[in-house]
Amino acid sequence: MTDRLGDRLVTAREEGFVGRRRETAAFRALLAAGRGAVVYVHGPGGIGKTTLLHHFAQLARRAGRPAVRLEAAGVRSYEEELTERIPDRPDLVLLIDGLDDPRVARDTVHRELLPRLPADALVALAGRTAPPLSWRLDPAWQGLLRLLPLGPLDEADSRELLTRRGVPRAVQDQGLAFTRGHPLALALVADVAAHGGEAAGADPSPQIVRALLASLLEAVPTPLHRTALEASSQVLSTTEPLLAALLQVADARPYFDWLCGLSAVESGLRGVHPHDLVRDALDAELRWRDPERRAALHRRASAYYQRLFTQEDDRARQRAVLADFAYLHRDSPVVGPLLEPVARGAAGAARLDRLSVSPGPVSGGELVEACTIAAIHEGIEAARLVHDWSRRSEAETYTVRGPDGVAAGFYTLIELGGAPPADAPDVPDDPAVRAARGWLAEHGELRGGETALLVRFWMSRDEYQAVSPVQTLITLRLTHHYLTDHKPAVTLLPFADPEFWEPGCAYVDFARLPAADFTAAGRRFGMFVHDWRRVPALAWLAMLTERERAEDPFAVTPPAASDPLRVLDREEFAEAVRDALRGLVRADGLRDSPLLRTRLVAGRCAAGEAGPKERAAALREAVRAAAAALEASPQDRRAFRALHHTYLRPAGTQARAAELLRLPMTTYRRHLTGGIARLTELLWQEELEGGGPEDGGPGAGEGDRPGGPPEVSRPE
């Protein structure tokens, strides 16, 4: 029977200690060696540093060595401690906790205390951050300093801790899911359960969240620093430019540097991110404390990601940021479960980062790997089609490779017109392509130069078309193809299990298209379609942003059906350009232009916001931008001058324009005709690719043209 309450507390603390086997083994080895050493334990608040130091003290006492524990904030001077409390014994074990306290001069420990201890003393220090780099680089400390970073407990130790605290096994799973192995969080969950409360649900109680944050984030310098931390919890990873956009400040460097220095924040290839528990706690608090600010942070993040597709040409960065954009939709009951590899935060992003996509269409051994995967899941005929399409210029196959370098999946893209080329008898006889071409010929309304992109095959080696990191990476890479590389007029996407994927497809505005379903290897595949001419890329991304924060995402419709785009053929478009040039400098000269409702103009207008004046201004901008491209081209400069004096800054008459250019009338007219043709060619290309440098705009609604894809209806 113990004599004092303190002894009982020590015993209870030791009986409640779980895990930390690696750290315990390292300290035992140092005790047994009997040589001097400094152990530096570091990790975020509540991770168990103090508990571990108590355990080290017990290990020292059991080994017959005197153990002295100090709280750094309570030390008046180390001179006094050396005189009054720290014995001058070679077997001394000294433990100092709380070296992160702002009142503590950590370098004083380094410079004044440690050098005065016995040579064989064993010292254990604890703080939230690792020791300064100067400690680690100092040659005098080589061989003496041992770093022990603390992380969360594993699942077995976490469950044991809850069991020892009396939490029934039947209710432990929710607690484990929320706490993610964080000792303080586990203790809080056990305390709530002991008092009859719910250990942890889908939304942890504000009391638990506040207690966690108080421990994790004791010293936040300013409200804007707090906002920076909250902002980092809302995005998959944080970079300095993104943080500036989230905080709406010109220079986010001080706040980004502060984040990087927090023990609760980790660095990775994509940027910095909070530990998962910290992220969850910050997000849970922000949800109930300030949901409007949470929504605002999501809007700012989404706007930042969209700008990467309009102001930068960094393909790798664009591809990577699509995962960040998808992460914003993690709470959606419709697509959240389909984004599980991304929704898992840092761990999910790390799994994606370990995968890679072939830099270009594959051949040789990589193609054999893709064919093998196709044969496993869809049969030998599918493998033959993958091989045969690889010989065609309109088809591309890409592989997804795991960290071991082996193909973990693949996808095949085929660019289609309305009918197979008449002079290409070797086109594979593919039921999917026949169905797609049949629908395109009757309803696709492809114009000269436009193509449809058929995702003919897509699958993971191990999960086929089920939710998986490979499936997620393929989805993100396909999205990048739609938005930047291929820029198709229409995308056609088949699924082996269309019923499972239909709600998710509806969320991203891919409409079910039974008319293009097909059967292969005895399996019925369901087709989905998106028309990028009606809902262009940035309008599509903007729609998804609205759906992400809407209580009913399907109440957010694609751009209004009352404002459809006009689809002009090549000749109609050229005639409309000539008319627009004639009215370019008149105040109302473009009022009736057919071009005002084309994809060319829509791509230069804010989604759903443009009135007649804005559209006319956008058309003028498009014409002048194309003319500037002609001026910059040496071979087009004479044609530009003819256009300039005739339409951009008209001389009044063609005769006067020819006089200004010092050209015979016949030569002037030849240059002018060539200039109109080249200008029309540039504008037509922009029309086909989506319009404008931002490739966005209001798009058009469904059901405005005969034979269009069916409207997206809300799944039951």
Side-chain angles (χ1 to χ4, degrees):
M1 182 174 180
T2 57
D3 297 325
R4 294 185 299 275
L5 179 60
D7 295 329
R8 293 178 59 189
L9 293 174
V10 169
T11 301
R13 186 180 290 122
E14 274 298 286
E15 289 177 350
F17 184 84
V18 298
R20 307 306 186 196
R21 296 174 184 82
R22 180 181 67 87
E23 294 82 3
T24 296
F27 195 78
R28 285 184 188 275
L30 292 173
L31 283 172
R35 293 189 299 271
V38 177
V39 175
Y40 202 111
V41 179
H42 61 94
I47 202 66
K49 300 183 294 294
T50 298
T51 300
L52 185 60
L53 287 195
H54 279 295
H55 183 56
F56 284 172
Q58 284 299 101
L59 293 177
R61 294 185 184 108
R62 290 173 191 167
R65 298 180 63 168
V68 178
R69 289 192 69 259
L70 301 177
E71 288 291 335
V75 174
R76 294 188 302 274
S77 77
Y78 286 108
E79 183 72 32
E80 293 181 16
E81 297 294 344
L82 285 166
T83 301
E84 299 176 7
R85 297 182 59 188
I86 302 175
D88 186 13
R89 292 179 50 171
D91 58 350
L92 170 69
V93 176
L94 177 63
L95 307 107
I96 305 178
D97 197 7
L99 288 181
D100 289 293
D101 191 291
R103 296 165 293 177
V104 173
R106 184 163 51 176
D107 281 347
T108 303
V109 177
H110 177 228
R111 293 194 311 266
E112 298 180 12
L113 174 63
L114 298 182
R116 299 175 64 180
L117 296 177
D120 293 332
L122 177 57
V123 182
L125 308 175
R128 296 190 177 194
T129 58
L133 190 61
S134 59
W135 291 29
R136 289 173 274 168
L137 297 182
D138 188 342
W141 287 88
Q142 299 299 312
L144 291 177
L145 185 62
R146 313 291 177 88
L147 301 186
L148 287 183
L150 287 192
L153 300 173
D154 61 26
E155 183 177 349
D157 289 337
S158 299
R159 193 176 291 279
E160 182 181 353
L161 189 152
L162 291 178
T163 300
R164 291 190 184 188
R165 296 292 184 95
V167 178
R169 190 173 183 85
V171 297
Q172 287 181 6
D173 289 342
Q174 284 185 327
L176 292 174
F178 163 63
T179 59
R180 299 175 184 265
H182 192 283
L184 175 60
L186 288 162
L188 289 169
V189 165
D191 184 63
V192 171
H195 290 84
E198 184 179 357
D203 295 308
S205 71
Q207 292 79 10
I208 289 181
V209 171
R210 281 199 296 268
L212 276 173
L213 292 179
S215 173
L216 292 165
L217 312 166
E218 289 177 355
V220 178
T222 69
L224 199 54
H225 284 81
R226 175 59 178 258
T227 301
L229 192 56
E230 291 172 340
S232 72
S233 74
Q234 298 305 306
V235 295
L236 185 58
S237 58
T238 303
T239 61
E240 190 175 319
L242 172 58
L243 187 61
L246 295 176
L247 299 182
Q248 296 184 310
V249 298
D251 181 12
R253 180 69 176 271
Y255 309 103
F256 186 76
D257 288 346
W258 175 76
L259 284 178
C260 292
L262 294 178
S263 61
V265 173
E266 296 179 325
S267 299
L269 295 175
R270 297 169 176 267
V272 299
H273 58 269
H275 288 287
D276 287 335
L277 175 70
V278 179
R279 183 197 296 276
D280 291 348
L282 286 165
D283 187 36
E285 187 204 26
L286 196 59
R287 281 174 188 270
W288 62 263
R289 182 170 58 83
D290 197 345
E292 290 78 13
R293 183 137 64 98
R294 185 177 186 270
L297 289 171
H298 280 225
R299 285 195 300 272
R300 294 170 195 170
S302 179
Y304 173 81
Y305 300 144
Q306 292 181 51
R307 284 197 297 274
L308 289 178
F309 285 91
T310 65
Q311 299 175 359
E312 295 188 15
D313 195 31
D314 186 341
R315 290 291 194 259
R317 179 68 181 129
Q318 289 172 347
R319 286 193 292 266
V321 87
L322 283 171
D324 297 73
F325 186 84
Y327 183 72
L328 295 178
H329 298 258
R330 62 193 179 276
D331 296 329
S332 167
V334 180
V335 296
L338 307 180
L339 296 171
E340 187 271 338
V342 171
R344 291 179 56 196
R351 293 177 68 190
L352 286 182
D353 289 340
R354 287 194 289 270
L355 301 172
S356 62
V357 177
S358 58
V362 300
S363 60
E366 290 182 305
L367 179 61
V368 171
E369 290 177 304
C371 292
T372 301
I373 296 171
I376 291 171
H377 294 291
E378 295 187 10
I380 195 64
E381 179 61 20
R384 184 188 65 79
L385 286 172
V386 172
H387 177 268
D388 290 350
W389 278 118
S390 71
R391 300 178 177 178
R392 303 285 306 170
S393 61
E394 66 268 33
E396 299 174 342
T397 292
Y398 297 83
T399 56
V400 177
R401 314 197 77 75
D404 57 0
V406 178
F410 81 98
Y411 60 95
T412 297
L413 309 176
I414 304 176
E415 286 191 342
L416 300 175
D423 59 345
D426 59 333
V427 172
D429 183 17
D430 189 330
V433 173
R434 284 201 308 272
R437 279 186 169 138
W439 181 82
L440 289 168
E442 187 173 352
H443 302 300
E445 300 184 11
L446 295 181
R447 299 171 292 180
E450 288 184 334
T451 61
L453 185 67
L454 170 65
V455 183
R456 176 57 185 96
F457 296 100
W458 66 274
M459 63 189 74
S460 161
R461 179 192 62 206
D462 298 327
E463 294 91 359
Y464 186 40
Q465 291 186 357
V467 175
S468 69
V470 172
Q471 167 270 325
T472 299
L473 182 59
I474 289 175
T475 298
L476 297 176
R477 188 55 66 92
L478 289 175
T479 303
H480 189 259
H481 280 295
Y482 309 152
L483 299 182
T484 60
D485 294 334
H486 288 266
K487 289 191 176 180
V490 173
T491 293
L492 296 161
L493 181 60
F495 290 86
D497 186 0
E499 289 74 22
F500 173 80
W501 290 99
E502 186 164 2
C505 285
Y507 184 96
V508 297
D509 199 41
F510 271 66
R512 185 74 173 86
L513 193 63
D517 287 357
F518 63 94
T519 300
R523 175 185 289 158
R524 183 79 172 173
F525 288 81
M527 191 74 77
F528 293 80
V529 64
H530 179 83
D531 192 328
W532 299 101
R533 300 166 298 185
R534 297 174 177 179
V535 184
L538 286 192
W540 180 72
L541 291 173
M543 178 197 70
L544 294 183
T545 297
E546 293 298 320
R547 287 186 170 181
E548 179 266 320
R549 60 178 182 265
E551 184 174 346
D552 178 4
F554 295 101
V556 179
T557 60
S562 60
D563 193 24
L565 291 181
R566 292 195 62 174
V567 180
L568 304 175
D569 63 27
R570 184 66 171 80
E571 289 72 21
E572 291 171 331
F573 187 88
E575 181 59 34
V577 170
R578 288 190 289 271
D579 288 341
L581 286 171
R582 288 190 283 268
L584 192 66
V585 297
R586 299 200 309 270
D588 62 348
L590 301 178
R591 182 183 60 189
D592 300 321
S593 173
L595 297 174
L596 295 179
R597 296 296 179 188
T598 60
R599 199 179 181 199
L600 167 72
V601 172
R604 291 176 174 268
C605 297
E609 300 290 333
K613 290 184 179 179
E614 290 79 11
R615 287 180 175 274
L619 178 54
R620 286 191 176 90
E621 177 192 345
V623 172
R624 294 187 184 281
L630 295 183
E631 183 183 18
S633 171
Q635 61 266 37
D636 293 322
R637 203 158 290 155
R638 289 181 296 181
F640 163 77
R641 294 192 184 106
L643 279 173
H644 178 78
H645 289 295
T646 308
Y647 298 119
L648 304 179
R649 296 190 64 181
T653 65
Q654 290 194 358
R656 177 59 180 154
E659 181 181 341
L660 288 172
L661 293 169
R662 299 179 181 179
L663 293 175
M665 183 59 72
T666 54
T667 304
Y668 156 76
R669 286 175 174 165
R670 187 173 72 253
H671 290 176
L672 180 61
T673 300
I676 294 172
R678 285 287 292 125
L679 185 83
T680 301
E681 180 183 340
L682 292 176
L683 294 174
W684 177 248
Q685 189 61 37
E686 192 173 325
E687 163 77 1
L688 296 182
E689 292 184 355
E694 298 186 357
D695 193 17
E702 302 294 356
D704 298 315
R705 295 173 4 224
E711 293 187 3
V712 177
S713 59
R714 176 174 179 163
E716 297 297 331

